[in-house]
Amino acid sequence: MTQSTLAPGLVLRDPALLEMRCFVNGSFVGEGMDPVNNPANGLVLGHVPDFGAAEATQAVEAAQQAFHPWAALTAKERSAILRRWFDLIIDAREDLALILTSEQGKPLSEARGEVDYGAAFVEFYAEEAKRISGETLPSHRSDGRILVLRQPVGVVAAITPWNFPIAMITRKVAPALAAGCTVVAKPAPETPLCALALSVLAKRAGFPDGVFNVITGDAVEIGGIFTSHPAIRVVSFTGSTEVGKLLMRQSASTLKRVALELGGNAPVLVFDDADIESAVAGALASKFRNTGQTCVCANRIYVQSKIYDAFVERFTAAAAQLKIGDGTIDGMQLGPLINERAVQKVERHLSDAVDKGGRIITGGKRHRLGGTFFEATVVINAHSEMAMAREETFGPVAPIFRFESESEAIAAANATTSGLAAYVFTRDVGRVFRVSEALEYGMVGVNSGLISTELAPFGGVKESGNSREGSHHGIEEFVDKKYVFVGGL
Ligand code: NAP
């Protein structure tokens, strides 16, 4: 194994969690080739294998071999292993958070929150494994019965992004394993170490060989196998809309189920009757979590005219106070952006906004810490012609738009191809229902900027995806319904 430390002074209680090899058929395999960087300082944390089509095929075939025995266990037996995995993840919380912050950049407090959030899916689906019930339906014949069985689909391929390196894995893998499927996961190249640490804990939890596999390497080659190998029945993808469309096209020839959790362009609607303190706190939490790099981050903030100036003043003052720095330092609230390309996108959106009449009232440039740190930024006079109104900025930039009427706000919020999360701040009960129902989004947060929980179905409409993860709905992607007719009774 490649030896590496996270950083001077950052010692893991359990160094074996810093695994740099892939996990295939119960073994750790492969040579470190591709570097993994710490975005806070550019230092190389280690190297992971550069697997391609051949190794992806081996992993898929290991998962295929493991499928029938795993599916044949009782739900209670699968549940017990998932529950052990959950306990081990919670026991390793501090180490996992440190690995997460080191490869992804988010502040340690957020990383701990992500470990808890990610673990919660494992706990929830350990319980849910025992509740994947079938049905009996009224029969068309008195000597026959209609049964509907819900059975695991088979091997699942999971492809995940870098912004939630633990939770995006567990949100797919836990329901798939609970249902009786086996999984091959490919994490993002920026953040493979969390996925590999989860695989170390999965091995300790006692999953049989081949049930859960993690491979790193060439996305195009691995994605090519995931979308064409006949054993794969579901491709479960979280990431950009562009790659989601590509994977759907590639999966067409073998008609795989493609479960997509894609990009967002979340609007926040703040009405005159809102509690302004809660609206500022909610918009701030939604905008700046993970330095603006979540799919449900506020991308556009619409404020009704009577409350506009007061909101802008308080929101800007709060944004200017956010502490920016290396996420492993206590008290930091904004870490670095993931890479230079992300910073350049933020700069492109800002210069486009300024060219089109936007005014930056706090932040607006790279942070003096250098690297990929960027100041918390607020832009006023935002309007619909700006790139930041149409595309996900995925950075710490809050454009604030003014509106007059409820119908104008709804129309502006819906004027996008995305439809993941939207937020509404109002104290009018009638408006809560009118606006929530009119928004073309998969999720609506009312008087709250944070909505993610394992207990609710997370997912989008339009070009934000077609799937739901979390809650009992999260099982559906991983089961097939089989109709059995029993005649001659
Ligand atoms: P991305 O560029 O689409 O990458 C996501 C994953 O797909 C990575 O593992 C990537 O690996 C892989 N990939 C890229 N091209 C591929 C191909 N041809 N075949 C197979 N795999 C391929 O997205 P990202 O920049 O990592 O993530 C940010 C995006 O994810 C944002 O749009 C965000 O809104 C979205 N997101 C959505 C949700 C949700 O639940 N809806 C949650 C989190 C994030 P390589 O990098 O090696 O190419």
Side-chain angles (χ1 to χ4, degrees), residues 159-163 168 171 186-189 219-220 223 237-240 243 246-247 261-264 295 392 394 420 458:
I159 304 178
T160 53
W162 48 264
N163 61 346
M168 296 303 98
R171 211 168 71 168
K186 188 207 90 68
V220 174
F237 172 75
T238 300
S240 61
V243 175
L246 175 76
L247 295 173
E261 297 277 354
L262 308 177
C295 53
E392 220 179 2
F394 237 55
L420 192 58
F458 189 107

Side-chain angles (χ1 to χ4, degrees), residues 242 244-253:
E242 185 193 352
K245 288 179 181 176
L246 175 76
L247 295 173
M248 194 174 222
R249 278 197 297 276
Q250 284 180 199
S251 300
S253 64

